[in-house]
Amino acid sequence: MGLDRKLVRGIVEGAIFASPVPMSVEGLQQLFVDGEKPSRQEVLRAIGELQTAYAERAVELIEVGSGFRFQVRALYAPWVGKLWEEKPQRLSRALLETLAIIAYRQPVTRAEIESIRGVVVSTQIIRTLLDREWIAVAGHREVPGRPALLATTRQFLDAFSLKNLAELPPLAALRDIDSITRDLEQHLAAAKQKELPIEGPVSNE
Amino acid sequence: MGLDRKLVRGIVEGAIFASPVPMSVEGLQQLFVDGEKPSRQEVLRAIGELQTAYAERAVELIEVGSGFRFQVRALYAPWVGKLWEEKPQRLSRALLETLAIIAYRQPVTRAEIESIRGVVVSTQIIRTLLDREWIAVAGHREVPGRPALLATTRQFLDAFSLKNLAELPPLAALRDIDSITRDLEQHLAAAKQKELPIEGPVSNE
Amino acid sequence: MASLSAPEAEVAPEIIAEVIARVYGEAVTELPEDLYIPPDALAVVLEAFEGPLDLLLYLIRKQNLDILDIPISRITDQYLAYIDLMQVLHIDLAAEYLLMAALLAEIKSRMLLPKPVQTGDEEDDPRAELVRRLQEYERFKKAAEDLDTLPQEGRDIFPALADAPLKIVVSEELMIGDLPGLLDAMRDILRRAELRQSHVIGSEGLTLEQRLREVLERLQDDSLVMFHELFFLQEGRMGVVVTFMAILELLKQKMITLVQESVFAQIYVRRMDPQSAEAAWA
């Protein structure tokens, strides 16, 4: 019965790395078909083994509220943090569209975003939005795979100079992602002119 | 001078994992301040060491068009792919053909693509390709209308796990236009002599 | 005009022998062999073709013919029958299909004309341009198939990403730079401890060394513990102060580190390096 222990561990490892959001034990179990599904214990054991295996690595496997994720060790933050420092990467259309859909349809799963946009939403885009804290995981849909439900955050409102979601441009043409992303772009440009670095070191007091 | 070799390796490791897009050697070097910046060789050595260190892990460090990234080993794809409820839709033939023409003939105008495919290229397809950042406008042809010249991007290479365009599957299986024309002429001449249009030597494939 | 030449006999029983289309004035009563497809499926079939060149290639390949030597008359007839049928079935045809039909018809008629005496050998076979286009299209059709076999991100390839390290990482930095923040947190804890002061248990010889061990034990695994979780409010002000001093001491010795995602966010405490810390306290 069940899969080889090493294979289970590899799947757990790969899935935690590939998932843009933390993976719960149940979420990990659901990657397996019924006959081969490892028990909760087996998944936790695999996670334990991975934590040991990564003891000497630059990333660590940690548990947070909604599950497990790999995270770069704090030791490397001074260097790795520079990835975010400079270039306020320009927002791609794909990113803006994804964001617009999340803003208007929240909470939504990635699959729903994909079905609206008609193209695959890359992990990088979700990751970037999570990194900027413009979106967050608001829960999980109770269907196989327990996909994360994504929603926008207060930081999103701040970044786009919106007081609340009601201030979003009205969704007159439900399908017209084009005009919505244009609106978002304008909002962002206006917000930028007014001021404030979007994130960045804030001095105390 | 410079930083401890192990520290450099950890920074490289952490940065490649943390970056939502592949990291180039230069990009990695830029994480360091001037005094401690490792040489290109040192960065590449660190990458080599990491590739060895991850030999037994479920993720591997590989080089693609725009740099280095970690990715889940193909072995685990069947399980990890289930993270997304819906399989990404297959790329349509129309999109693949358009993309192939751009990849092999770049830079090309839309009209040139249309003349090869014999059909109008839908705006939606070009939009999708631009949106995914697989293609970009590389300039304009200096003819009336100044049509955009389309070319593939590094993201295209990344998406198809290619280091560079030379790694594209060769078009070699197909005869170049000159020899086709030559063959054709010879063949037609022969056929004319016989006066029978049918059944020539079948040479394709 | 030649009638449909290709498909002899073999009419599928469900095809009714009535005029189903007119091709260049000729009544078509039988579907060509290639068209034995349930009519409903035709729309689907047409969608399967990427255009007239693709359809033409299909007709040629299906009969194992060489592109270089298309029996133009036969292929033209088949193509036209196809197109005509589409129209009968009210399937919208892109203009390109009709354009190709016209081109084929033209080539066919040119080939039927007696050749004028040639002045040189430069005169092109009327098929040459079409053949060139078919070849060219076929190359890219194949290239597109090849492209589709490459490992594709999102389909076969999944990038492995780790989260960014928590943003502001401090041990000594926090001691200096964000001491106010730390003290603020402390003040909150003390205030809460005071609220509980009512049932203070008489201080039972709490030593700093003992507290150091306890704090480290709390941080045993690599996990982050919230700063305020290290305090036991029941111990009252004294216990809280001892714990605070223990934390400061551990920070100084770099046994632990404080982590804060942003300035007003929670402060977390974590062990610096489990191995060396273990050794130091063994």
Side-chain angles (χ1 to χ4, degrees), chain C residues 33-96:
Chain C
E33 194 175 3
D34 286 319
L35 296 180
Y36 289 164
I37 302 157
D40 315 352
L42 269 174
V44 181
V45 170
L46 187 67
E47 265 164 33
F49 292 113
E50 285 303 320
L53 289 171
D54 198 23
L55 173 54
L56 217 44
L57 259 186
Y58 164 80
L59 295 173
I60 292 166
R61 291 292 176 219
K62 177 144 179 88
Q63 299 168 72
N64 273 321
L65 297 172
D66 188 343
I67 291 183
L68 297 190
D69 193 21
I70 316 167
I72 200 80
S73 170
R74 201 158 101 195
I75 292 294
T76 300
D77 292 341
Q78 290 182 355
Y79 183 90
L80 292 178
Y82 230 110
I83 298 307
D84 224 48
L85 188 62
M86 301 294 180
Q87 290 180 322
V88 168
L89 296 170
H90 302 292
I91 293 168
D92 272 341
L93 275 179
E96 297 96 343

Side-chain angles (χ1 to χ4, degrees), chain A residues 101 107-114 140-141 143 147-150, chain B residues 85:
Chain A
I101 292 166
V108 291
T109 65
R110 175 159 158 172
E112 287 160 357
I113 300 169
E114 292 180 348
H140 293 269
R141 178 145 293 159
V143 296
L149 286 164
L150 304 171
Chain B
E85 309 136 88

Side-chain angles (χ1 to χ4, degrees), chain B residues 10 25 39 46 51 55 88 99 120 122-124 126 147 154 163 192:
Chain B
V25 172
S39 68
Q51 284 171 326
L99 185 57
V120 170
S122 82
T123 302
Q124 180 59 39
I126 300 290
R154 283 181 184 282
K163 283 207 232 350
K192 244 179 234 160

Side-chain angles (χ1 to χ4, degrees), chain A residues 3 6-7 9-11 13-20 23 27 30-33 36 49-50 53-54 56-59 72 75-76 78-84 86-87 89-90 92-94 97 109-112 114-115 117-121 123-124 127-128 131 141 143-145 147 178, chain B residues 3 6-23 27-28 30-34 36 49-50 52-54 56-59 69-73 75-91 95 124 127-133 155 158:
Chain A
L3 291 180
K6 203 173 148 212
L7 181 57
R9 190 173 62 220
I11 293 167
E13 183 180 2
I16 297 176
F17 267 126
S19 170
M23 285 296 292
Q30 273 163 4
L31 300 177
F32 298 83
V33 297
E36 52 183 43
E49 287 167 357
L50 289 169
Y54 278 85
E56 297 291 310
R57 304 250 54 90
V59 293
V72 177
L75 167 65
Y76 303 104
W79 293 273
V80 174
K82 290 207 186 115
L83 282 177
W84 286 269
E86 292 117 58
K87 42 186 176 185
Q89 317 101 307
R90 69 168 237 297
S92 69
R93 273 192 58 84
E97 286 192 9
T109 65
R110 175 159 158 172
E112 287 160 357
E114 292 180 348
S115 91
R117 292 192 62 225
V119 293
V120 172
V121 174
T123 302
Q124 284 90 334
R127 194 17 126 351
T128 303
D131 274 352
R141 178 145 293 159
V143 296
D178 263 357
Chain B
L3 292 179
K6 202 174 147 212
L7 181 58
V8 170
R9 190 173 61 220
I11 294 166
V12 167
E13 184 180 2
I16 296 176
F17 267 126
S19 169
V21 294
M23 287 293 292
L28 288 164
Q30 275 161 16
L31 300 176
F32 298 83
V33 297
D34 278 348
E36 54 183 40
E49 288 167 357
L50 289 168
T52 310
Y54 278 85
E56 297 293 310
R57 302 249 54 90
V59 295
R69 74 170 175 219
F70 279 101
Q71 65 183 36
V72 179
R73 284 182 197 279
L75 169 64
Y76 304 102
W79 291 272
V80 173
K82 289 196 200 136
L83 281 176
W84 296 279
E85 309 136 88
E86 287 171 14
K87 287 266 162 290
Q89 309 101 314
R90 291 184 62 84
L91 300 175
L95 185 141
Q124 180 59 39
R127 257 273 312 269
T128 303
L129 290 172
L130 285 167
D131 184 69
R132 291 192 166 201
E133 299 183 342
Q155 285 87 335
D158 296 348

Side-chain angles (χ1 to χ4, degrees), chain C residues 242-269:
Chain C
V242 170
T243 306
F244 187 51
M245 286 169 64
I247 291 172
L248 289 179
E249 179 62 22
L250 289 170
L251 275 173
K252 209 171 89 189
Q253 293 184 24
K254 301 209 166 127
M255 309 288 294
I256 63 171
T257 180
L258 298 182
V259 178
Q260 195 179 21
E261 266 186 271
S262 62
V263 167
F264 299 108
Q266 280 289 352
I267 296 172
Y268 291 88
V269 184

Side-chain angles (χ1 to χ4, degrees), chain B residues 85-143:
Chain B
E85 309 136 88
E86 287 171 14
K87 287 266 162 290
Q89 309 101 314
R90 291 184 62 84
L91 300 175
S92 70
R93 270 187 57 200
L95 185 141
L96 281 165
E97 286 182 9
T98 305
L99 185 57
I101 293 168
I102 298 173
Y104 287 92
R105 278 292 173 82
Q106 54 191 306
V108 291
T109 64
R110 189 158 154 167
E112 287 158 357
I113 300 168
E114 293 179 345
S115 104
I116 292 175
R117 294 193 61 228
V119 286
V120 170
V121 173
S122 82
T123 302
Q124 180 59 39
I125 284 179
I126 300 290
R127 257 273 312 269
T128 303
L129 290 172
L130 285 167
D131 184 69
R132 291 192 166 201
E133 299 183 342
W134 286 355
I135 65 168
V137 174
H140 293 269
R141 179 145 291 158
E142 290 307 334
V143 296

